[in-house]
Amino acid sequence: MIIGVPKEVKNNENRVGLTPSSVKHLSELGHSIYVESSAGSSIGFTDDLYISSGATILESAEEIFNSSDLIIKVKEPTDSELQYLREDLSIFTYLHLAGDSNQAKKLLETGVTGIAYETVTASNGSLPLLAPMSYIAGQLSIVVGSYHLLKPYEGRGTLISKIDPRVVTVIGAGVAGREAIGKAIANNAVVKVIDLNQSVLDELQSKYGNQNIEYILSTSESIQEAVSESDLVIGSVYVVGKEAPKVVKKEMLKNMISGSVLVDISIDQGGCFETSKPTNHDKPTFIKDNILHYCVTNMPGAVPLTASNALNHATIPFITELAEKGISKALNENQHLMNGLNIQNGKIIHPAVKEAISL
């Protein structure tokens, strides 16, 4: 199979779809790997390193897309890349279709086969290709949230530490939420954990105990009370294939502390704060009703080397299966991979995505 790796084009997106070690693995199996020039240079993956790993370097994205059977990316295709998509091409990447129905419509018009990392499943019901980036985003949420609480960056002017305990609320205790909870605890925050599932709260309580931690069943009222007392609120709500529910309503901001910070990890799926709108690493925040919002759509792009290595560790078994068996056979024989199939022949295939998007 001919596999193409274009350079990512989103703002400050320095991750890469295949690392040199992944290229080496696939090329040793007899597959041809085309990598766009400088695709990984910003994180030390030089063209020479890719060549020594078995890749062929092509100069443009157009060449990569036109020459390949399967495209491996990190982020969803942008408007500038849609022109290169076609019916006999497959793309394996994060798609997040429910987060932008207009972009989903444009993608459907290309006829491309789109397999989404975020809906591929594992035998235990987990989302193995979403998990590594969720892990990183959860860790980063406390870092960026703490940074933007600093007064020079328009925050409240507080430090999450044991010398002056501050309140951190985490809404949604999935992979990202649990990482945020753990990091907030490590920084001696007073933590409010909110989740819809009582068994999840009970599990976390058995792990962390009750000192400086409150476990709260999610309701509109409990969320409003928690955010009104918080310096930092992390939104990490995720529903497979669907737009994130808006758990923090616009009117709740009026009762929040001026200068407090909202970090919306769910922004790729449309955001879980009603006032969220996508931002980028160049301009990551905006202020609404005196509350600072951080809504960067590619948070793990801030640590692209770590993120690329982590993502490849998770994706390479699935990429190998697609390459070795062919797209159709791999999808038909592996239900977990089939669960990643979102679009094909101009139609939405994934049931949850179909339900979430009205076109």
Side-chain angles (χ1 to χ4, degrees):
M1 183 175 286
I2 302 173
I3 301 171
V5 184
K7 186 175 182 177
E8 297 294 324
V9 295
K10 289 197 77 169
N11 176 273
N12 276 286
E13 184 52 79
N14 295 298
R15 288 175 289 180
V16 66
L18 289 178
T19 62
S21 62
S22 293
V23 167
K24 186 174 188 294
H25 167 75
L26 292 166
S27 64
E28 287 177 347
L29 291 173
H31 304 290
S32 299
I33 317 299
Y34 295 156
V35 177
E36 185 177 351
S37 181
S38 301
S41 60
S42 65
I43 53 175
F45 298 154
T46 64
D47 288 355
D48 286 343
L49 184 55
Y50 275 115
I51 291 169
S52 67
S53 299
T56 298
I57 301 298
L58 299 182
E59 290 302 316
S60 69
E62 183 176 8
E63 290 178 275
I64 294 290
F65 281 93
N66 288 346
S67 303
S68 301
D69 304 310
L70 173 64
I71 294 291
I72 304 297
K73 277 177 52 59
V74 178
K75 293 301 291 178
E76 66 278 1
T78 64
D79 283 343
S80 67
E81 295 171 310
L82 292 175
Q83 61 184 311
Y84 306 132
L85 304 182
R86 60 184 193 274
E87 290 184 3
D88 63 341
L89 180 67
S90 296
I91 184 167
F92 195 24
T93 186
Y94 291 112
L95 288 176
H96 294 297
L97 297 179
D100 188 343
S101 59
N102 186 49
Q103 186 71 1
K105 182 178 180 180
K106 293 178 183 178
L107 198 58
L108 282 169
E109 290 172 351
T110 70
V112 74
T113 295
I115 307 168
Y117 291 158
E118 70 270 15
T119 61
V120 171
T121 57
S123 56
N124 63 359
S126 66
L127 302 170
L129 307 190
L130 183 63
M133 298 304 100
S134 296
Y135 174 95
I136 290 171
Q139 289 275 323
L140 285 175
S141 68
I142 300 298
V143 174
V144 299
S146 299
Y147 179 84
H148 286 99
L149 276 170
L150 301 178
K151 201 65 176 177
Y153 304 105
E154 302 183 278
R156 189 181 180 195
T158 56
L159 178 66
I160 299 174
S161 68
K162 64 182 179 181
I163 61 173
D164 181 26
R166 312 312 307 179
V167 178
V168 175
T169 291
V170 179
I171 308 173
V175 174
R178 289 173 187 240
E179 290 305 313
I181 291 163
K183 199 164 186 67
I185 291 170
N187 286 355
N188 297 286
V190 176
V191 182
K192 295 178 183 291
V193 180
I194 302 178
D195 197 89
L196 279 170
N197 193 328
Q198 185 62 52
S199 65
V200 169
L201 297 173
D202 292 342
E203 179 189 344
L204 290 169
Q205 188 171 17
S206 68
K207 179 178 181 178
Y208 292 116
N210 295 309
Q211 186 174 357
N212 291 330
I213 310 173
E214 188 176 357
Y215 306 92
I216 304 167
L217 196 62
S218 181
T219 65
S220 181
E221 293 75 17
S222 65
I223 290 172
Q224 179 167 329
E225 182 179 355
V227 300
S228 69
E229 300 171 353
S230 300
D231 292 66
L232 174 59
V233 179
I234 309 297
S236 56
V237 180
Y238 182 76
V239 182
V240 177
K242 296 186 178 183
E243 185 175 8
K246 304 297 189 272
V247 295
V248 175
K249 306 297 184 182
K250 180 179 179 180
E251 59 267 20
M252 293 181 185
L253 271 61
K254 298 174 183 176
N255 296 318
M256 293 182 66
I257 304 164
S258 180
S260 56
V261 174
L262 295 174
V263 177
D264 197 341
I265 297 175
S266 306
I267 192 64
D268 279 323
Q269 293 292 111
C272 63
F273 306 141
E274 193 173 24
T275 47
S276 288
K277 59 183 180 181
T279 62
N280 57 50
H281 289 291
D282 279 348
K283 192 174 181 181
T285 65
F286 62 91
I287 294 175
K288 176 70 175 177
D289 293 340
N290 298 314
I291 307 302
L292 190 144
H293 293 59
Y294 180 99
C295 305
V296 173
T297 55
N298 58 332
M299 282 181 68
V303 288
L305 179 54
T306 295
S308 295
N309 286 329
L311 182 60
N312 271 244
H313 180 75
T315 58
I316 195 62
F318 294 98
I319 295 169
T320 301
E321 188 168 354
L322 288 167
E324 289 286 272
K325 294 181 178 179
I327 305 299
S328 296
K329 186 177 181 182
L331 291 172
N332 289 332
E333 292 185 358
N334 186 336
Q335 183 59 49
H336 299 299
L337 196 49
M338 175 61 83
N339 289 339
L341 182 63
N342 278 210
I343 58 173
Q344 192 171 43
N345 299 322
K347 297 178 181 179
I348 299 176
I349 305 299
H350 194 283
V353 175
K354 185 182 295 185
E355 182 182 343
I357 301 175
S358 55
L359 297 175

